[in-house]
Amino acid sequence: MHGGNQSETSEFLLLGLSESPKEQRILFWMFLSMYVVTVVGNVLIILAISIDPHLHTPMYLLLANLSLTDLFFVTNTIPNTLVNIQSQNKAISYAGCLTQLYFLVSLVTLDNFILATMAYDRYVAICRPLYYVTAMNPGLCILLLTLCWGLSVLYGLFLTLFVTKVTFCGSRKIHYIFCEMYVLLRLACSNTQIIHTVQITTGCFIFFTPLGIMIMSYVWIVRAILRIPSASSKYKAFSTCASHLAVVSLFYGTLGMVYLQPLQTYSMKDSVATVMYAVVTPMMNPFIYSLRNKDMHGALGRLLLGKAFQRFT
């Protein structure tokens, strides 16, 4: 990752979202509280699913992987952000910046793939319930997750290697909390048209293909739910999908605001949108998935309260 441009730029300066001391204190405590909530929430989801045998199903295996991805996601960016806010040294090395970018791209892609796999899982469970055991058997589920992780790692490496070909010889100041693709390309003094075109082209395929799978899955799911005669059964079927739909809407809404635009129009308001998908979405996921899920309520209760919870229930 030490491409030909390291002689030009050996480090960047992560200045954050504000240089005002008062606003920095507010941002520090805000990011710290969000990081703690995110870590605790996602760790509890992973532990609850790991310990409770009732949750050893494809749906919860996928959810555990989503929580693990979100855990890596925030750990890749927020601890360094907190150090930068408290420190007078805002520098991040060239290699450190590219490493952060690599994990950011890989984990966003992984989130995207896992959400698509979860949509397919719900499609099979609701539209093909008699075939669910065979269609989503543990072997296939592990294979799908392996493909998700493998493709995400390769895509992150692919885009990061492209960035090593970019020359940075002007300003080293990044008015943001971490090394993000559009921010780095705006600092380049070489021609970034090729890498931007590659990013848009591959990004559309990487993100819109899973999004298409999700849309088609939910079209069939809605049609299947509408054919259910019982109102209570309709509600139960829809409630299993509502949390996933909420996460998908939040994730793709903020992601689209940032990346579905020309590089020249990227501004500070898009940095706020990036914070939404990089920090807020991982924090909200545990709440969204456990809020109306009785199985998760039970598993978390048994994990936190043990026998006292069992006596209470």
Side-chain angles (χ1 to χ4, degrees):
M1 285 190 181
H2 294 65
N5 55 352
Q6 187 163 359
S7 60
E8 302 286 350
T9 298
S10 60
E11 63 182 23
F12 295 97
L13 298 176
L14 287 172
L15 300 180
L17 297 177
S18 173
E19 296 185 54
S20 164
K22 182 178 180 181
E23 291 179 356
Q24 284 190 345
R25 284 194 295 271
I26 296 173
L27 288 170
F28 176 84
W29 289 110
M30 182 183 75
F31 282 125
L32 178 61
S33 59
M34 292 171 75
Y35 180 67
V36 171
V37 170
T38 303
V39 170
V40 171
N42 283 288
V43 167
L44 285 176
I45 292 288
I46 294 169
L47 289 176
I49 293 172
S50 302
I51 293 172
D52 196 324
H54 298 95
L55 302 184
H56 292 174
T57 63
M59 181 177 77
Y60 290 107
L61 176 61
L62 293 169
L63 178 56
N65 274 264
L66 184 67
S67 291
L68 185 63
T69 304
D70 289 341
L71 200 57
F72 289 154
F73 204 115
V74 293
T75 302
N76 177 49
T77 55
I78 300 305
N80 186 68
T81 299
L82 295 174
V83 171
N84 282 349
I85 291 175
Q86 289 292 90
S87 171
Q88 294 302 315
N89 181 16
K90 308 291 185 180
I92 181 171
S93 68
Y94 173 79
C97 191
L98 289 190
T99 300
Q100 196 175 69
L101 174 67
Y102 164 74
F103 282 108
L104 181 68
V105 173
S106 299
L107 293 170
V108 169
T109 306
L110 182 57
D111 246 356
N112 178 60
F113 286 157
I114 291 177
L115 288 172
T117 309
M118 293 174 78
Y120 173 72
D121 173 78
R122 291 300 82 207
Y123 160 75
V124 177
I126 293 174
C127 301
R128 299 288 186 271
L130 297 179
Y131 300 98
Y132 183 76
V133 176
T134 54
M136 284 299 292
N137 62 75
L140 177 61
C141 190
I142 291 172
L143 175 62
L144 290 173
L145 282 170
T146 302
L147 286 173
C148 290
W149 282 85
L151 290 173
S152 301
V153 167
L154 291 174
Y155 184 63
L157 184 61
F158 172 74
L159 280 189
T160 306
L161 288 175
F162 256 97
V163 176
T164 63
K165 306 302 180 184
V166 176
T167 302
F168 302 98
C169 54
S171 173
R172 298 180 295 120
K173 296 179 180 180
I174 298 177
H175 293 272
Y176 197 45
I177 60 174
F178 53 77
C179 295
E180 192 266 337
M181 179 70 77
Y182 269 22
V183 174
L184 289 178
L185 294 184
R186 288 291 295 270
L187 295 179
C189 56
S190 60
N191 191 340
T192 60
Q193 186 61 43
I194 294 177
I195 184 173
H196 186 235
T197 302
V198 168
Q199 181 196 4
I200 292 294
T201 304
T202 57
C204 285
F205 178 78
I206 289 289
F207 290 97
F208 284 120
T209 300
L211 180 60
I213 293 173
M214 283 183 257
I215 292 172
M216 290 303 298
S217 296
Y218 276 104
V219 167
W220 287 102
I221 286 171
V222 169
R223 290 180 61 181
I225 291 175
L226 292 176
R227 289 197 296 264
I228 298 175
S230 169
S232 60
S233 298
K234 282 183 181 179
Y235 175 80
K236 183 178 180 181
F238 182 76
S239 65
T240 63
C241 305
S243 55
H244 182 257
L245 278 171
V247 171
V248 167
S249 301
L250 183 61
F251 179 75
Y252 276 97
T254 53
L255 207 61
M257 287 172 61
V258 176
Y259 295 112
L260 294 182
Q261 62 175 305
L263 179 61
Q264 293 76 14
T265 63
Y266 188 85
S267 63
M268 182 57 71
K269 67 178 178 61
D270 300 303
S271 299
V272 176
T274 309
V275 171
M276 287 291 292
Y277 83 74
V279 183
V280 177
T281 301
M283 180 184 70
M284 294 301 298
N285 283 354
F287 295 101
I288 293 172
Y289 278 107
S290 61
L291 192 62
R292 299 172 62 184
N293 190 315
K294 292 182 180 180
D295 292 332
M296 282 304 306
H297 287 174
L300 290 170
R302 287 186 288 273
L303 173 67
L304 296 174
L305 302 177
K307 293 182 178 179
F309 179 82
Q310 294 178 351
R311 286 196 299 268
F312 179 78
T313 54

mmCIF file of all heavy atoms in Angstrom, residues 206-244:
data_model
loop_
_atom_site.group_PDB
_atom_site.id
_atom_site.type_symbol
_atom_site.label_atom_id
_atom_site.label_comp_id
_atom_site.label_asym_id
_atom_site.label_seq_id
_atom_site.Cartn_x
_atom_site.Cartn_y
_atom_site.Cartn_z
ATOM 1 N N ILE A 206 -21.932 -3.511 -7.375
ATOM 2 C CA ILE A 206 -21.785 -4.118 -6.045
ATOM 3 C C ILE A 206 -22.986 -3.815 -5.151
ATOM 4 O O ILE A 206 -23.432 -4.663 -4.368
ATOM 5 C CB ILE A 206 -20.483 -3.632 -5.364
ATOM 6 C CG1 ILE A 206 -19.258 -4.246 -6.044
ATOM 7 C CG2 ILE A 206 -20.488 -3.941 -3.873
ATOM 8 C CD1 ILE A 206 -19.068 -5.716 -5.783
ATOM 9 N N PHE A 207 -23.538 -2.596 -5.278
ATOM 10 C CA PHE A 207 -24.600 -2.194 -4.362
ATOM 11 C C PHE A 207 -26.003 -2.342 -4.949
ATOM 12 O O PHE A 207 -26.939 -2.690 -4.230
ATOM 13 C CB PHE A 207 -24.365 -0.761 -3.891
ATOM 14 C CG PHE A 207 -23.194 -0.637 -2.963
ATOM 15 C CD1 PHE A 207 -21.949 -0.249 -3.439
ATOM 16 C CD2 PHE A 207 -23.309 -0.941 -1.624
ATOM 17 C CE1 PHE A 207 -20.858 -0.167 -2.598
ATOM 18 C CE2 PHE A 207 -22.234 -0.866 -0.770
ATOM 19 C CZ PHE A 207 -20.993 -0.478 -1.263
ATOM 20 N N PHE A 208 -26.159 -2.116 -6.223
ATOM 21 C CA PHE A 208 -27.501 -2.197 -6.795
ATOM 22 C C PHE A 208 -27.940 -3.633 -7.076
ATOM 23 O O PHE A 208 -29.132 -3.911 -7.098
ATOM 24 C CB PHE A 208 -27.608 -1.344 -8.054
ATOM 25 C CG PHE A 208 -27.714 0.117 -7.767
ATOM 26 C CD1 PHE A 208 -26.762 1.004 -8.252
ATOM 27 C CD2 PHE A 208 -28.746 0.615 -6.988
ATOM 28 C CE1 PHE A 208 -26.843 2.359 -7.975
ATOM 29 C CE2 PHE A 208 -28.843 1.965 -6.706
ATOM 30 C CZ PHE A 208 -27.892 2.844 -7.195
ATOM 31 N N THR A 209 -26.981 -4.533 -7.294
ATOM 32 C CA THR A 209 -27.361 -5.941 -7.478
ATOM 33 C C THR A 209 -27.983 -6.506 -6.203
ATOM 34 O O THR A 209 -29.089 -7.064 -6.245
ATOM 35 C CB THR A 209 -26.148 -6.788 -7.916
ATOM 36 O OG1 THR A 209 -25.640 -6.274 -9.150
ATOM 37 C CG2 THR A 209 -26.550 -8.242 -8.102
ATOM 38 N N PRO A 210 -27.322 -6.384 -5.041
ATOM 39 C CA PRO A 210 -27.986 -6.819 -3.803
ATOM 40 C C PRO A 210 -29.274 -6.057 -3.507
ATOM 41 O O PRO A 210 -30.240 -6.642 -3.012
ATOM 42 C CB PRO A 210 -26.930 -6.550 -2.719
ATOM 43 C CG PRO A 210 -25.645 -6.586 -3.443
ATOM 44 C CD PRO A 210 -25.931 -5.994 -4.785
ATOM 45 N N LEU A 211 -29.288 -4.740 -3.814
ATOM 46 C CA LEU A 211 -30.513 -3.968 -3.590
ATOM 47 C C LEU A 211 -31.646 -4.504 -4.452
ATOM 48 O O LEU A 211 -32.797 -4.598 -3.999
ATOM 49 C CB LEU A 211 -30.269 -2.489 -3.899
ATOM 50 C CG LEU A 211 -31.464 -1.549 -3.699
ATOM 51 C CD1 LEU A 211 -31.946 -1.578 -2.256
ATOM 52 C CD2 LEU A 211 -31.111 -0.124 -4.119
ATOM 53 N N GLY A 212 -31.327 -4.886 -5.691
ATOM 54 C CA GLY A 212 -32.337 -5.494 -6.565
ATOM 55 C C GLY A 212 -32.860 -6.805 -6.003
ATOM 56 O O GLY A 212 -34.064 -7.080 -6.066
ATOM 57 N N ILE A 213 -31.965 -7.607 -5.441
ATOM 58 C CA ILE A 213 -32.369 -8.867 -4.799
ATOM 59 C C ILE A 213 -33.316 -8.584 -3.646
ATOM 60 O O ILE A 213 -34.333 -9.266 -3.462
ATOM 61 C CB ILE A 213 -31.125 -9.644 -4.309
ATOM 62 C CG1 ILE A 213 -30.295 -10.111 -5.509
ATOM 63 C CG2 ILE A 213 -31.528 -10.824 -3.424
ATOM 64 C CD1 ILE A 213 -28.964 -10.732 -5.131
ATOM 65 N N MET A 214 -32.989 -7.548 -2.859
ATOM 66 C CA MET A 214 -33.843 -7.204 -1.717
ATOM 67 C C MET A 214 -35.223 -6.728 -2.173
ATOM 68 O O MET A 214 -36.242 -7.124 -1.602
ATOM 69 C CB MET A 214 -33.164 -6.121 -0.872
ATOM 70 C CG MET A 214 -32.041 -6.632 0.001
ATOM 71 S SD MET A 214 -31.334 -5.342 1.052
ATOM 72 C CE MET A 214 -29.822 -4.990 0.191
ATOM 73 N N ILE A 215 -35.246 -5.884 -3.186
ATOM 74 C CA ILE A 215 -36.527 -5.371 -3.684
ATOM 75 C C ILE A 215 -37.398 -6.507 -4.212
ATOM 76 O O ILE A 215 -38.589 -6.607 -3.872
ATOM 77 C CB ILE A 215 -36.297 -4.311 -4.779
ATOM 78 C CG1 ILE A 215 -35.674 -3.054 -4.155
ATOM 79 C CG2 ILE A 215 -37.618 -3.959 -5.473
ATOM 80 C CD1 ILE A 215 -35.243 -2.023 -5.175
ATOM 81 N N MET A 216 -36.803 -7.387 -5.027
ATOM 82 C CA MET A 216 -37.561 -8.513 -5.577
ATOM 83 C C MET A 216 -38.042 -9.438 -4.464
ATOM 84 O O MET A 216 -39.176 -9.937 -4.504
ATOM 85 C CB MET A 216 -36.706 -9.280 -6.573
ATOM 86 C CG MET A 216 -36.431 -8.536 -7.883
ATOM 87 S SD MET A 216 -37.973 -8.061 -8.722
ATOM 88 C CE MET A 216 -38.696 -9.682 -9.033
ATOM 89 N N SER A 217 -37.186 -9.677 -3.472
ATOM 90 C CA SER A 217 -37.572 -10.536 -2.343
ATOM 91 C C SER A 217 -38.784 -9.970 -1.624
ATOM 92 O O SER A 217 -39.742 -10.691 -1.311
ATOM 93 C CB SER A 217 -36.396 -10.679 -1.361
ATOM 94 O OG SER A 217 -35.309 -11.344 -1.960
ATOM 95 N N TYR A 218 -38.776 -8.657 -1.388
ATOM 96 C CA TYR A 218 -39.873 -8.061 -0.639
ATOM 97 C C TYR A 218 -41.135 -7.882 -1.473
ATOM 98 O O TYR A 218 -42.241 -7.849 -0.922
ATOM 99 C CB TYR A 218 -39.425 -6.744 -0.005
ATOM 100 C CG TYR A 218 -38.719 -6.994 1.302
ATOM 101 C CD1 TYR A 218 -37.340 -6.898 1.404
ATOM 102 C CD2 TYR A 218 -39.440 -7.394 2.428
ATOM 103 C CE1 TYR A 218 -36.692 -7.173 2.598
ATOM 104 C CE2 TYR A 218 -38.805 -7.659 3.623
ATOM 105 C CZ TYR A 218 -37.432 -7.552 3.701
ATOM 106 O OH TYR A 218 -36.799 -7.838 4.877
ATOM 107 N N VAL A 219 -40.995 -7.782 -2.770
ATOM 108 C CA VAL A 219 -42.184 -7.789 -3.623
ATOM 109 C C VAL A 219 -42.914 -9.123 -3.470
ATOM 110 O O VAL A 219 -44.152 -9.169 -3.276
ATOM 111 C CB VAL A 219 -41.811 -7.555 -5.104
ATOM 112 C CG1 VAL A 219 -42.991 -7.881 -6.021
ATOM 113 C CG2 VAL A 219 -41.377 -6.112 -5.309
ATOM 114 N N TRP A 220 -42.158 -10.227 -3.522
ATOM 115 C CA TRP A 220 -42.763 -11.550 -3.353
ATOM 116 C C TRP A 220 -43.251 -11.769 -1.934
ATOM 117 O O TRP A 220 -44.288 -12.415 -1.716
ATOM 118 C CB TRP A 220 -41.761 -12.637 -3.743
ATOM 119 C CG TRP A 220 -41.529 -12.733 -5.218
ATOM 120 C CD1 TRP A 220 -40.469 -12.257 -5.931
ATOM 121 C CD2 TRP A 220 -42.422 -13.330 -6.178
ATOM 122 N NE1 TRP A 220 -40.635 -12.511 -7.264
ATOM 123 C CE2 TRP A 220 -41.815 -13.170 -7.457
ATOM 124 C CE3 TRP A 220 -43.649 -13.966 -6.090
ATOM 125 C CZ2 TRP A 220 -42.415 -13.645 -8.618
ATOM 126 C CZ3 TRP A 220 -44.247 -14.435 -7.257
ATOM 127 C CH2 TRP A 220 -43.636 -14.269 -8.492
ATOM 128 N N ILE A 221 -42.528 -11.221 -0.961
ATOM 129 C CA ILE A 221 -42.945 -11.362 0.440
ATOM 130 C C ILE A 221 -44.272 -10.650 0.678
ATOM 131 O O ILE A 221 -45.190 -11.199 1.312
ATOM 132 C CB ILE A 221 -41.847 -10.811 1.385
ATOM 133 C CG1 ILE A 221 -40.669 -11.782 1.434
ATOM 134 C CG2 ILE A 221 -42.409 -10.583 2.796
ATOM 135 C CD1 ILE A 221 -39.456 -11.227 2.165
ATOM 136 N N VAL A 222 -44.391 -9.426 0.181
ATOM 137 C CA VAL A 222 -45.640 -8.656 0.355
ATOM 138 C C VAL A 222 -46.807 -9.391 -0.313
ATOM 139 O O VAL A 222 -47.911 -9.477 0.255
ATOM 140 C CB VAL A 222 -45.484 -7.233 -0.208
ATOM 141 C CG1 VAL A 222 -46.833 -6.522 -0.268
ATOM 142 C CG2 VAL A 222 -44.506 -6.430 0.642
ATOM 143 N N ARG A 223 -46.582 -9.899 -1.514
ATOM 144 C CA ARG A 223 -47.638 -10.653 -2.208
ATOM 145 C C ARG A 223 -48.056 -11.875 -1.402
ATOM 146 O O ARG A 223 -49.252 -12.182 -1.298
ATOM 147 C CB ARG A 223 -47.151 -11.088 -3.591
ATOM 148 C CG ARG A 223 -46.987 -9.945 -4.580
ATOM 149 C CD ARG A 223 -46.516 -10.430 -5.925
ATOM 150 N NE ARG A 223 -47.474 -11.354 -6.530
ATOM 151 C CZ ARG A 223 -47.281 -11.948 -7.707
ATOM 152 N NH1 ARG A 223 -46.172 -11.715 -8.394
ATOM 153 N NH2 ARG A 223 -48.193 -12.756 -8.187
ATOM 154 N N ALA A 224 -47.092 -12.572 -0.815
ATOM 155 C CA ALA A 224 -47.399 -13.760 -0.013
ATOM 156 C C ALA A 224 -48.157 -13.387 1.258
ATOM 157 O O ALA A 224 -49.108 -14.076 1.657
ATOM 158 C CB ALA A 224 -46.114 -14.504 0.335
ATOM 159 N N ILE A 225 -47.752 -12.282 1.896
ATOM 160 C CA ILE A 225 -48.411 -11.857 3.136
ATOM 161 C C ILE A 225 -49.856 -11.442 2.870
ATOM 162 O O ILE A 225 -50.770 -11.739 3.662
ATOM 163 C CB ILE A 225 -47.619 -10.702 3.795
ATOM 164 C CG1 ILE A 225 -46.286 -11.210 4.332
ATOM 165 C CG2 ILE A 225 -48.435 -10.063 4.925
ATOM 166 C CD1 ILE A 225 -45.392 -10.121 4.898
ATOM 167 N N LEU A 226 -50.081 -10.753 1.755
ATOM 168 C CA LEU A 226 -51.436 -10.312 1.425
ATOM 169 C C LEU A 226 -52.389 -11.476 1.174
ATOM 170 O O LEU A 226 -53.610 -11.334 1.323
ATOM 171 C CB LEU A 226 -51.413 -9.394 0.200
ATOM 172 C CG LEU A 226 -50.751 -8.026 0.406
ATOM 173 C CD1 LEU A 226 -50.699 -7.246 -0.904
ATOM 174 C CD2 LEU A 226 -51.475 -7.226 1.490
ATOM 175 N N ARG A 227 -51.848 -12.645 0.814
ATOM 176 C CA ARG A 227 -52.697 -13.816 0.583
ATOM 177 C C ARG A 227 -53.015 -14.582 1.864
ATOM 178 O O ARG A 227 -53.823 -15.497 1.846
ATOM 179 C CB ARG A 227 -52.016 -14.760 -0.423
ATOM 180 C CG ARG A 227 -51.994 -14.210 -1.844
ATOM 181 C CD ARG A 227 -51.715 -15.321 -2.849
ATOM 182 N NE ARG A 227 -50.385 -15.893 -2.654
ATOM 183 C CZ ARG A 227 -49.309 -15.509 -3.346
ATOM 184 N NH1 ARG A 227 -49.423 -14.544 -4.256
ATOM 185 N NH2 ARG A 227 -48.150 -16.075 -3.132
ATOM 186 N N ILE A 228 -52.383 -14.197 2.968
ATOM 187 C CA ILE A 228 -52.649 -14.870 4.252
ATOM 188 C C ILE A 228 -54.008 -14.415 4.775
ATOM 189 O O ILE A 228 -54.260 -13.210 4.924
ATOM 190 C CB ILE A 228 -51.548 -14.542 5.279
ATOM 191 C CG1 ILE A 228 -50.191 -15.061 4.788
ATOM 192 C CG2 ILE A 228 -51.887 -15.168 6.638
ATOM 193 C CD1 ILE A 228 -49.034 -14.683 5.690
ATOM 194 N N PRO A 229 -54.938 -15.321 5.060
ATOM 195 C CA PRO A 229 -56.294 -14.928 5.469
ATOM 196 C C PRO A 229 -56.364 -14.319 6.866
ATOM 197 O O PRO A 229 -57.149 -13.415 7.121
ATOM 198 C CB PRO A 229 -57.083 -16.239 5.389
ATOM 199 C CG PRO A 229 -56.055 -17.322 5.530
ATOM 200 C CD PRO A 229 -54.806 -16.789 4.902
ATOM 201 N N SER A 230 -55.547 -14.820 7.787
ATOM 202 C CA SER A 230 -55.620 -14.378 9.175
ATOM 203 C C SER A 230 -54.862 -13.065 9.376
ATOM 204 O O SER A 230 -53.707 -12.928 8.962
ATOM 205 C CB SER A 230 -55.043 -15.449 10.107
ATOM 206 O OG SER A 230 -54.864 -14.950 11.409
ATOM 207 N N ALA A 231 -55.514 -12.112 10.038
ATOM 208 C CA ALA A 231 -54.877 -10.816 10.309
ATOM 209 C C ALA A 231 -53.688 -10.965 11.256
ATOM 210 O O ALA A 231 -52.651 -10.311 11.089
ATOM 211 C CB ALA A 231 -55.894 -9.847 10.901
ATOM 212 N N SER A 232 -53.831 -11.833 12.254
ATOM 213 C CA SER A 232 -52.731 -12.043 13.207
ATOM 214 C C SER A 232 -51.528 -12.692 12.535
ATOM 215 O O SER A 232 -50.381 -12.363 12.832
ATOM 216 C CB SER A 232 -53.205 -12.907 14.379
ATOM 217 O OG SER A 232 -53.647 -14.171 13.920
ATOM 218 N N SER A 233 -51.790 -13.599 11.595
ATOM 219 C CA SER A 233 -50.700 -14.247 10.865
ATOM 220 C C SER A 233 -50.004 -13.257 9.938
ATOM 221 O O SER A 233 -48.793 -13.297 9.755
ATOM 222 C CB SER A 233 -51.229 -15.436 10.054
ATOM 223 O OG SER A 233 -51.786 -16.409 10.899
ATOM 224 N N LYS A 234 -50.794 -12.342 9.348
ATOM 225 C CA LYS A 234 -50.212 -11.307 8.507
ATOM 226 C C LYS A 234 -49.272 -10.421 9.327
ATOM 227 O O LYS A 234 -48.160 -10.098 8.901
ATOM 228 C CB LYS A 234 -51.314 -10.436 7.899
ATOM 229 C CG LYS A 234 -52.043 -11.045 6.718
ATOM 230 C CD LYS A 234 -53.060 -10.054 6.174
ATOM 231 C CE LYS A 234 -53.818 -10.666 4.990
ATOM 232 N NZ LYS A 234 -54.832 -9.727 4.453
ATOM 233 N N TYR A 235 -49.754 -10.045 10.515
ATOM 234 C CA TYR A 235 -48.947 -9.188 11.380
ATOM 235 C C TYR A 235 -47.655 -9.881 11.784
ATOM 236 O O TYR A 235 -46.575 -9.278 11.775
ATOM 237 C CB TYR A 235 -49.740 -8.814 12.629
ATOM 238 C CG TYR A 235 -48.947 -8.026 13.640
ATOM 239 C CD1 TYR A 235 -48.745 -6.651 13.479
ATOM 240 C CD2 TYR A 235 -48.390 -8.650 14.756
ATOM 241 C CE1 TYR A 235 -48.015 -5.925 14.402
ATOM 242 C CE2 TYR A 235 -47.645 -7.928 15.673
ATOM 243 C CZ TYR A 235 -47.469 -6.575 15.497
ATOM 244 O OH TYR A 235 -46.731 -5.869 16.401
ATOM 245 N N LYS A 236 -47.752 -11.167 12.137
ATOM 246 C CA LYS A 236 -46.572 -11.921 12.557
ATOM 247 C C LYS A 236 -45.565 -12.033 11.425
ATOM 248 O O LYS A 236 -44.356 -11.864 11.620
ATOM 249 C CB LYS A 236 -46.985 -13.318 13.034
ATOM 250 C CG LYS A 236 -45.821 -14.152 13.568
ATOM 251 C CD LYS A 236 -46.303 -15.498 14.066
ATOM 252 C CE LYS A 236 -45.135 -16.329 14.587
ATOM 253 N NZ LYS A 236 -45.587 -17.661 15.058
ATOM 254 N N ALA A 237 -46.065 -12.300 10.200
ATOM 255 C CA ALA A 237 -45.174 -12.435 9.047
ATOM 256 C C ALA A 237 -44.494 -11.111 8.733
ATOM 257 O O ALA A 237 -43.291 -11.060 8.452
ATOM 258 C CB ALA A 237 -45.956 -12.930 7.829
ATOM 259 N N PHE A 238 -45.268 -10.019 8.796
ATOM 260 C CA PHE A 238 -44.693 -8.720 8.473
ATOM 261 C C PHE A 238 -43.712 -8.262 9.541
ATOM 262 O O PHE A 238 -42.702 -7.617 9.228
ATOM 263 C CB PHE A 238 -45.799 -7.675 8.309
ATOM 264 C CG PHE A 238 -45.273 -6.315 7.937
ATOM 265 C CD1 PHE A 238 -44.837 -6.053 6.638
ATOM 266 C CD2 PHE A 238 -45.199 -5.298 8.876
ATOM 267 C CE1 PHE A 238 -44.344 -4.813 6.288
ATOM 268 C CE2 PHE A 238 -44.701 -4.054 8.534
ATOM 269 C CZ PHE A 238 -44.273 -3.804 7.235
ATOM 270 N N SER A 239 -43.966 -8.573 10.805
ATOM 271 C CA SER A 239 -43.091 -8.123 11.895
ATOM 272 C C SER A 239 -41.699 -8.726 11.785
ATOM 273 O O SER A 239 -40.728 -8.121 12.239
ATOM 274 C CB SER A 239 -43.710 -8.466 13.250
ATOM 275 O OG SER A 239 -43.802 -9.878 13.421
ATOM 276 N N THR A 240 -41.600 -9.934 11.180
ATOM 277 C CA THR A 240 -40.289 -10.549 11.014
ATOM 278 C C THR A 240 -39.453 -9.816 9.959
ATOM 279 O O THR A 240 -38.236 -9.954 9.924
ATOM 280 C CB THR A 240 -40.414 -12.034 10.611
ATOM 281 O OG1 THR A 240 -41.064 -12.119 9.333
ATOM 282 C CG2 THR A 240 -41.210 -12.817 11.633
ATOM 283 N N CYS A 241 -40.118 -9.028 9.108
ATOM 284 C CA CYS A 241 -39.418 -8.304 8.036
ATOM 285 C C CYS A 241 -39.259 -6.820 8.325
ATOM 286 O O CYS A 241 -38.415 -6.159 7.717
ATOM 287 C CB CYS A 241 -40.176 -8.459 6.714
ATOM 288 S SG CYS A 241 -40.478 -10.161 6.214
ATOM 289 N N ALA A 242 -40.088 -6.302 9.227
ATOM 290 C CA ALA A 242 -40.111 -4.853 9.461
ATOM 291 C C ALA A 242 -38.759 -4.316 9.917
ATOM 292 O O ALA A 242 -38.305 -3.258 9.447
ATOM 293 C CB ALA A 242 -41.188 -4.516 10.488
ATOM 294 N N SER A 243 -38.106 -5.036 10.831
ATOM 295 C CA SER A 243 -36.814 -4.569 11.335
ATOM 296 C C SER A 243 -35.773 -4.537 10.225
ATOM 297 O O SER A 243 -34.972 -3.595 10.125
ATOM 298 C CB SER A 243 -36.339 -5.460 12.487
ATOM 299 O OG SER A 243 -36.298 -6.821 12.092
ATOM 300 N N HIS A 244 -35.778 -5.572 9.381
ATOM 301 C CA HIS A 244 -34.822 -5.621 8.271
ATOM 302 C C HIS A 244 -35.073 -4.467 7.301
ATOM 303 O O HIS A 244 -34.130 -3.823 6.815
ATOM 304 C CB HIS A 244 -34.919 -6.970 7.551
ATOM 305 C CG HIS A 244 -33.935 -7.130 6.436
ATOM 306 N ND1 HIS A 244 -34.291 -6.998 5.118
ATOM 307 C CD2 HIS A 244 -32.608 -7.389 6.444
ATOM 308 C CE1 HIS A 244 -33.217 -7.182 4.356
ATOM 309 N NE2 HIS A 244 -32.181 -7.421 5.137
#
